[in-house]
Amino acid sequence: MNPKNLKDIDGAEISWFAPLCDGDDDFLGNRNPDYKSTWENTSKIVKTADELGFRNVLCPSSYQVGQDTLSFVAGMAPITKQINFLAAIRCGEVHPPMLARSIATLDHMLKGRLTINIISSDLPGNELDSSERYARSREVIEILKQAWNQDRIEFNGKYYKLSLPTDPVKPYQQNGGPLLYFGGYSPAGVDLCAEHCDVYLMWPETEDKLQGLMNIMTLKASDYGRTVQFGLRVHVIVRETEKEARDYANNLLSKLDLNHGLNIKNRAQDSNSIGVARQSQMRNEADNEYYVEPHLWTGIGLARSGCGAALVGTPDQILNKMKRYMQMGIRSFILSGYPHQQECELFAQHVLPQLKTISLPEVFNRRINETPNSPLGKGERK
């Protein structure tokens, strides 16, 4: 039996977001220098999330704007205590053996508080067909897993041909290395996640569409004899009354020039992806106030690529919405808000104490170690 069959998992990983890519603001589409992506601003947000009890933090990757992901995580390692780091890596950007060494170094610095977000979008200045990008990502992941779990890397692929000892790249986490989180909607991406990754990250959609994505992934993973956990990346606006929450959402758009918002969206490396198209479709299906279903507001997507919707409501309304997601099988939430410091504190005040939070790496490793005769004790997760 796959030891990662965690349907009975009690609680959820509640994570925040590190705005490394210069996207933090008090009004959408309005550049306020006070919220610029700097070490000082972003490290303060992450330290706050750590102190308030969030269990992970997504550190994204972007070439055009922002800070370097792995360097930022390294800098945060000694000044945080509990929070895990979900570091985004753009497959193909770093030579895989050197990437394995960087990840292993970070894992030791963090004493196992490291998770990895696999990114397959185009590299800056380079364009590949979707199937080619996912094929390259598959090779990178397979090399990382050899590096972490075998005595040698012996790989003969289309993009990489390697024969190397793995002594320099052994991670702190010995049960297969850091967990791999992945988001992608194309058939090639779904197949890659089903075969190799641990957590399938989705952007917000209506509950029926989310369930459809989860059903597809569950079936595809079963073809490989695996189970995959599910995560949701979504913004959040929580206030004491529903009117306050909805008014705040509307106010975020009060200074937005729609053409400027479109330019912001199009600058992203993933702006033409299937996932971004699905976010636009969701917004087109929303009402005239941008709500596509109760408490799911799609106005965010008018001024950014990627995750384009927010949970909006009172503490009880947000809590109940998240509990419905958990009943569907979602066990990881990556939240954010505008501005990030303020909304991190508000969510922690109003909602976080009512949720049982977990660290997915701790749960995965505990279950693996508890599985009798598990072949994964010092080997690769299936």
Side-chain angles (χ1 to χ4, degrees):
M1 177 180 177
N2 188 341
K4 296 204 308 304
N5 186 5
L6 307 180
K7 290 183 179 179
D8 60 337
I9 190 171
D10 184 18
E13 177 184 67
I14 310 298
S15 309
W16 199 249
F17 182 83
L20 295 177
C21 301
D22 215 16
D24 195 13
D25 276 307
D26 47 356
F27 296 95
L28 291 174
N30 182 64
R31 295 275 46 145
N32 185 336
D34 289 344
Y35 298 101
K36 184 175 177 59
S37 179
T38 63
W39 165 257
E40 289 77 15
N41 283 343
T42 316
S43 63
K44 179 182 177 183
I45 292 167
V46 175
K47 285 190 289 186
T48 298
D50 183 33
E51 293 165 0
L52 293 177
F54 290 87
R55 300 310 302 271
N56 206 340
V57 57
L58 173 58
C59 299
S61 171
S62 174
Y63 173 74
Q64 291 176 299
V65 289
Q67 305 170 61
D68 179 72
T69 307
L70 298 184
S71 301
F72 178 84
V73 173
M76 293 303 303
I79 59 175
T80 51
K81 297 179 180 179
Q82 172 181 270
I83 200 165
N84 297 331
F85 285 83
L86 179 54
I89 60 169
R90 202 173 295 276
C91 289
E93 197 168 56
V94 179
H95 188 53
M98 305 304 288
L99 177 62
R101 190 178 69 170
S102 294
I103 292 172
T105 301
L106 283 177
D107 199 31
H108 283 276
M109 292 172 68
L110 288 161
K111 297 295 187 289
R113 292 188 288 125
L114 181 66
T115 56
I116 300 296
N117 182 200
I118 296 291
I119 306 294
S120 296
S121 59
D122 279 323
L123 303 181
N126 175 266
E127 291 186 10
L128 280 180
D129 178 81
S130 173
S131 61
E132 290 283 306
R133 287 189 281 106
Y134 285 120
R136 179 178 61 193
S137 292
R138 176 175 266 102
E139 291 196 10
V140 171
I141 293 171
E142 290 175 353
I143 291 167
L144 290 178
K145 289 192 171 186
Q146 283 193 19
W148 295 335
N149 297 291
Q150 299 177 188
D151 293 331
R152 292 188 61 83
I153 300 172
E154 297 291 347
F155 194 83
N156 185 20
K158 176 179 179 181
Y159 299 95
Y160 304 101
K161 301 181 187 303
L162 300 167
S163 178
L164 288 169
T166 59
D167 289 343
V169 300
K170 295 304 182 189
Y172 182 89
Q173 298 176 75
Q174 291 296 298
N175 290 326
L179 297 184
L180 301 182
Y181 294 55
F182 178 92
Y185 293 87
S186 72
V190 169
D191 187 74
L192 175 62
C193 181
E195 182 179 6
H196 285 301
C197 298
D198 302 299
V199 182
Y200 182 53
L201 290 177
M202 303 172 290
W203 285 332
E205 297 194 50
T206 58
E207 291 181 16
D208 60 328
K209 289 186 177 180
L210 287 176
Q211 190 65 66
L213 291 170
M214 294 168 69
N215 292 343
I216 291 171
M217 178 57 70
T218 297
L219 288 173
K220 179 60 70 172
S222 69
D223 291 341
Y224 291 101
R226 305 182 70 243
T227 58
V228 173
Q229 296 303 304
F230 296 98
L232 181 65
R233 167 80 181 97
V234 64
H235 307 281
V236 63
I237 299 171
V238 58
R239 295 295 186 273
E240 293 185 2
T241 70
E242 185 174 0
K243 183 180 185 304
E244 286 179 291
R246 292 174 71 103
D247 286 349
Y248 188 84
N250 292 333
N251 194 51
L252 284 177
L253 300 178
S254 62
K255 297 185 179 183
L256 176 64
D257 179 288
L258 291 179
N259 289 328
H260 180 56
L262 186 62
N263 290 334
I264 293 174
K265 290 174 58 178
N266 289 338
R267 76 185 181 186
Q269 292 290 122
D270 63 357
S271 60
N272 295 317
S273 70
I274 295 174
V276 171
R278 290 178 69 113
Q279 294 293 282
S280 296
Q281 179 185 358
M282 173 180 60
R283 191 169 59 258
N284 292 337
E285 295 170 354
D287 64 22
N288 58 7
E289 293 186 338
Y290 301 115
Y291 287 87
V292 70
E293 66 183 11
H295 312 300
L296 185 61
W297 181 68
T298 67
I300 295 278
L302 293 170
R304 57 161 291 148
S305 184
C307 174
L311 303 180
V312 177
T314 67
D316 283 344
Q317 288 168 340
I318 299 298
L319 180 65
N320 290 334
K321 185 73 168 172
M322 294 181 69
K323 284 183 176 179
R324 286 201 297 276
Y325 289 142
M326 292 171 67
Q327 289 170 355
M328 293 167 58
I330 293 173
R331 287 295 179 268
S332 178
F333 295 90
I334 300 172
L335 309 173
S336 58
Y338 296 95
H340 286 67
Q341 178 78 20
Q342 169 186 291
E343 297 304 305
C344 176
E345 293 172 356
L346 285 169
F347 184 87
Q349 175 186 347
H350 292 298
V351 183
L352 191 59
Q354 303 178 70
L355 291 164
K356 181 173 182 179
T357 63
I358 60 169
S359 164
L360 278 182
E362 291 178 4
V363 173
F364 276 46
N365 288 332
R366 184 169 67 248
R367 294 298 178 87
I368 289 173
N369 290 333
E370 290 174 355
T371 301
N373 302 318
S374 172
L376 305 179
K378 293 185 178 180
E380 176 186 349
R381 290 186 300 270
K382 286 182 66 177

